[in-house]
Amino acid sequence: MNAEEFRLLRDHVYAHCGIFVREDMKFVMERRLWPRLEALGLRDFTEYHRYLRYDSQRRAELESAVEALTTHETYFFREPGQLKAFSDEVLPALQQRNAAGRRLRIWSAGCSTGEEAYTIAMLLHQSRRFEHWDVEVYGTDISRRVLATARRAEYGPSSLRATPPEQVSRFFLSLGNNKVRVKDEVRAWVSFGQLNLLDAEACQLVPQMDAVFCRNVMIYFDVPARRRVIQAFHDRLVPGGYLMLGHSENLLNLGADFELVHLRGDLAYRKPELFPRKAR
């Protein structure tokens, strides 16, 4: 891959989904995309760029390219301190605010193979605050392949490495051969769909949310793309809704209209309420 091929492919991927490949990652892009050239019978990356621009199968291949360039490493109950703060402090606030309508919507953006979305549903069940409520956890990702895994809801030991044994017994069915499946009571609260977070029109189809989880996703984006994604979250959150980011991510220099919330065990962001409640 020469410098011009790298620039063309990097800019094409960036325009599609906001993933920005730095100059020092050129060798990684070359290594990860080379199998796509072999699969298509192409001679070089110039031909591959032409394929992505003009071939009738270009959209499907662009999804394959993005798939190759991203990492889908995740597992259940990741970042337990944040999850505990969410359970202990955010969920009671959402229960109180939504008590009249008994309806709760949470978005797991960039959900990968589904562990985060199912974890959120497990926390809701465990809290026992939302029994007989209309509850939906939406998991979205740009990759159709990982979403197929999420819908199957079958996982191995790597996905369970941070899951306490009592949670495994409560929320999973053993399939043998070190495989488990998420129980139906959890799956009933979770749905999945393909979504490019940089597609503003598609994001407008996402319902209004009470909370958004987007953890370890924005590390792939540059600042302009991050601003667009954060604006999409702001638009889809109800006033007073919460945004949970990964520990390596924040909203500094993004000009976002969010309040920083100091929870006892972690930090979160909140969309300002239209009419702030008076302190009692």
Side-chain angles (χ1 to χ4, degrees):
M1 180 185 289
N2 62 40
E4 180 64 8
E5 289 170 333
F6 170 73
R7 183 188 67 79
L8 289 170
L9 287 169
R10 178 198 63 190
D11 292 352
H12 194 63
V13 169
Y14 177 77
H16 171 62
C17 64
I19 293 175
F20 184 78
V21 183
R22 303 189 313 269
E23 297 278 350
D24 61 344
M25 298 296 286
K26 171 177 170 290
F27 76 98
V28 175
M29 173 178 263
E30 181 175 2
R31 176 169 53 84
R32 292 190 176 185
L33 290 183
W34 182 254
R36 298 307 311 154
L37 273 70
E38 293 182 322
L40 297 170
L42 302 177
R43 293 176 299 176
D44 54 38
F45 286 99
T46 298
E47 286 192 359
Y48 187 58
H49 175 255
R50 189 176 300 117
Y51 187 100
L52 291 176
R53 288 291 304 276
Y54 303 114
D55 193 88
S56 61
Q57 299 300 313
R58 60 187 180 275
R59 291 188 63 85
E61 181 55 34
L62 191 52
E63 288 188 14
S64 295
V66 172
E67 176 77 35
L69 291 172
T70 52
T71 301
H72 300 290
E73 168 65 15
T74 187
Y75 48 91
F76 290 98
F77 294 95
R78 189 175 187 175
E79 299 186 13
Q82 183 185 58
L83 296 178
K84 185 176 189 306
F86 179 74
S87 295
D88 292 350
E89 300 178 66
V90 176
L91 288 186
L94 295 180
Q95 179 193 26
Q96 180 180 13
R97 192 185 68 198
N98 295 6
R102 299 175 68 84
R103 184 176 184 271
L104 185 69
R105 295 292 183 267
I106 299 178
W107 182 8
S108 172
C111 69
S112 187
T113 44
E115 287 92 333
E116 179 180 83
Y118 288 127
T119 295
I120 295 167
M122 292 173 191
L123 293 175
L124 298 178
H125 276 283
Q126 189 172 285
S127 74
R128 303 182 68 86
R129 295 177 178 275
F130 304 98
E131 295 179 354
H132 309 297
W133 279 47
D134 177 10
V135 174
E136 190 78 46
V137 178
Y138 292 89
T140 66
D141 200 277
I142 196 171
S143 168
R144 299 180 194 276
R145 183 183 65 83
V146 298
L147 291 172
T149 299
R151 292 186 180 103
R152 283 196 301 272
E154 297 179 4
Y155 300 95
S158 177
S159 294
L160 297 171
R161 61 184 182 270
T163 307
E166 61 271 18
Q167 305 292 54
V168 176
S169 300
R170 179 174 179 181
F171 294 119
F172 296 89
L173 293 171
S174 175
L175 301 177
N177 298 318
N178 288 323
K179 299 281 286 185
V180 297
R181 180 187 295 127
V182 179
K183 288 185 177 180
D184 288 346
E185 66 186 79
V186 176
R187 297 176 69 183
W189 279 1
V190 183
S191 62
F192 295 99
Q194 194 269 346
L195 181 69
N196 179 348
L197 293 174
L198 269 291
D199 187 336
E201 290 186 6
C203 286
Q204 288 297 315
L205 299 177
V206 175
Q208 290 286 288
M209 293 289 159
D210 298 294
V212 174
F213 277 74
C214 185
R215 304 191 296 174
N216 306 305
V217 174
M218 291 197 298
I219 56 175
Y220 291 106
F221 301 148
D222 67 354
V223 170
R226 289 175 189 171
R227 287 187 177 130
R228 290 170 61 187
V229 171
I230 292 301
Q231 185 59 53
F233 294 154
H234 188 276
D235 291 345
R236 302 328 301 157
L237 277 168
V238 300
Y242 289 83
L243 173 62
M244 314 297 292
L245 299 177
H247 284 160
S248 63
E249 300 164 319
N250 58 63
L251 300 185
L252 291 176
N253 302 317
L254 296 182
D257 185 19
F258 281 91
E259 305 166 339
L260 180 62
V261 181
H262 292 268
L263 305 174
R264 287 190 296 273
D266 202 31
L267 298 174
Y269 294 93
R270 183 170 56 208
K271 180 176 177 177
E273 299 209 35
L274 295 177
F275 305 101
R277 300 175 184 179
K278 295 180 181 180
R280 293 183 179 180

